[in-house]
Amino acid sequence: MEDGIRVGLLLVATPQLDDPNFKRSVVLVVEHDLEGGTLGVVLNRPTEVPVDRVLPPWAELVTGPSVVFQGGPVALDNALALARLPGEDEPLGWRALDGDSEVARVGLVDLDAPPGLLAAELLQLRVFAGYAGWSAGQLRSEIEEGEWYLVPAEPGDVFAADPERLWQEVLRRQGGDLAFVSTFPDDPTLN
């Protein structure tokens, strides 16, 4: 049974979602299986930790800002990276997320591989500490409860130059009611 969730889509937190881990977050779905659950990476939570402090060999290849992003509340002591490559090849050290979405040339990087394997082909790279995870059926329930909007991703979303504005920008480009939601104040009692 299809649930509408698939790799390459964005989960955008609704204003009602007040969990501090996900408030105003934009999450890229990187794995989804009806029986195994869903994994995603929060795209708009830069930390103050420079990449060269935790992964020096990759630091010069990172798309600015050159800091580690908090990818979610799970496994914060583990790093993962997303990179965008041109063409259609799948070079060693990189695995495409999904072949038929807008982010088809975005993939997961093997951070244990030598950076030189990918350096010549990288268009963009971002490093994340941790990830977001949902058990089978959990994310579908949260969407039905009105905690997430499920929208298409664009390649630039993963590597946004101004990640703090990503939530508003993604909602605004959806048009209609979601564009209106992009203007929702952080604290509606101050409105």
Side-chain angles (χ1 to χ4, degrees):
M1 180 176 157
E2 179 64 36
D3 64 2
I5 302 166
R6 66 180 193 282
V7 171
L9 289 178
L10 293 177
L11 298 166
V12 181
T14 68
Q16 294 83 276
L17 183 57
D18 60 359
D19 176 337
N21 292 307
F22 295 111
K23 186 174 178 79
R24 297 216 172 198
S25 66
V26 177
V27 179
L28 177 68
V29 176
V30 297
E31 289 183 19
H32 179 67
D33 183 294
L34 286 173
E35 285 134 31
T38 306
L39 296 178
V41 178
V42 177
L43 301 177
N44 59 334
R45 295 279 192 275
T47 69
E48 294 183 8
V49 178
V51 172
D52 64 0
R53 188 181 308 161
V54 288
L55 290 167
W58 291 95
E60 67 184 45
L61 301 175
V62 170
T63 302
S66 223
V67 296
V68 175
F69 281 63
Q70 184 174 338
V74 181
L76 289 171
D77 54 345
N78 290 324
L80 65 91
L82 293 171
R84 188 162 70 103
L85 276 62
E88 296 181 12
D89 294 338
E90 194 161 315
L92 219 53
W94 181 84
R95 178 176 57 89
L97 292 182
D98 185 7
D100 59 356
S101 73
E102 286 296 317
V103 291
R105 295 306 298 163
V106 173
L108 291 163
V109 174
D110 177 359
L111 291 172
D112 290 327
L117 283 177
L118 293 173
E121 298 200 46
L122 280 178
L123 295 174
Q124 295 171 301
L125 174 81
R126 190 152 279 167
V127 175
F128 301 87
Y131 61 90
W134 294 266
S135 60
Q138 180 184 2
L139 181 56
R140 170 52 44 206
S141 294
E142 290 181 15
I143 292 169
E144 289 170 359
E145 291 168 12
E147 295 180 0
W148 298 100
Y149 301 118
L150 192 59
V151 301
E154 293 181 0
D157 295 337
V158 179
F159 311 100
D162 187 3
E164 283 88 5
R165 298 221 17 94
L166 186 61
W167 186 83
Q168 289 90 354
E169 291 171 5
V170 169
L171 289 172
R172 189 171 300 122
R173 75 172 181 241
Q174 305 310 310
D177 290 343
L178 293 184
F180 181 70
V181 171
S182 75
T183 65
F184 199 83
D186 277 337
D187 184 353
T189 62
L190 299 177
N191 201 5

